[in-house]
Amino acid sequence: MNRSPMFSGLMYSMIFMLAGTILGSMLLVFTSMKEDSWVSLTLGIHGLAMLAGGFVSGKRAGTKGWYHGMLLGLLYALIVWIIGFLAYDAGMTEQTLYVTLISVVGGAFGGIVGVNMKR
């Protein structure tokens, strides 16, 4: 049974985001890291999550990895924005646009690598 490339990529990206968030939180608690650096750490976590999700999506799709990864990045950014809006009443900010840009670029790059790893 084959799953949708988008669904598989989204699940992997969410797993990577959850793991990265837990590790980042542990860094904040157990080290002298300041909360001011959390913004850059968060952008890195989203980027790595989208690389992983785009890779899986591209590998499962077999063709047009950049396309599948880019769409996955847009979907991921939309989900992150909806969660932020509903949970924290956060609107569209400059950081939201950065997350969207990093998600789209990371997903597209991961999709390109994923398609080429299939061969």
Side-chain angles (χ1 to χ4, degrees):
M1 174 167 132
N2 281 338
R3 289 192 195 152
S4 163
M6 291 292 286
F7 181 74
S8 299
L10 187 61
M11 288 300 107
Y12 273 84
S13 63
M14 291 296 173
I15 290 168
F16 270 77
M17 181 192 54
L18 180 64
T21 303
I22 290 170
L23 289 174
S25 297
M26 289 173 57
L27 276 173
L28 281 173
V29 169
F30 295 118
T31 65
S32 61
M33 185 180 205
K34 298 193 186 249
E35 289 184 23
D36 296 338
S37 59
W38 183 248
V39 173
S40 59
L41 184 63
T42 303
L43 291 176
I45 290 169
H46 287 301
L48 290 175
M50 284 314 305
L51 278 172
F55 178 83
V56 170
S57 180
K59 191 169 182 180
R60 296 242 171 132
T63 60
K64 296 182 183 176
W66 64 271
Y67 176 75
H68 285 92
M70 187 175 66
L71 284 178
L72 180 66
L74 286 172
L75 179 63
Y76 177 88
L78 180 68
I79 290 171
V80 168
W81 179 76
I82 288 172
I83 290 171
F85 179 73
L86 293 175
Y88 302 109
D89 199 25
M92 283 295 247
T93 62
E94 188 177 335
Q95 292 173 350
T96 309
L97 296 176
Y98 287 145
V99 168
T100 303
L101 180 66
I102 287 173
S103 298
V104 168
V105 171
F109 184 71
I112 290 169
V113 173
V115 165
N116 289 317
M117 292 299 287
K118 187 147 184 134
R119 296 178 186 170

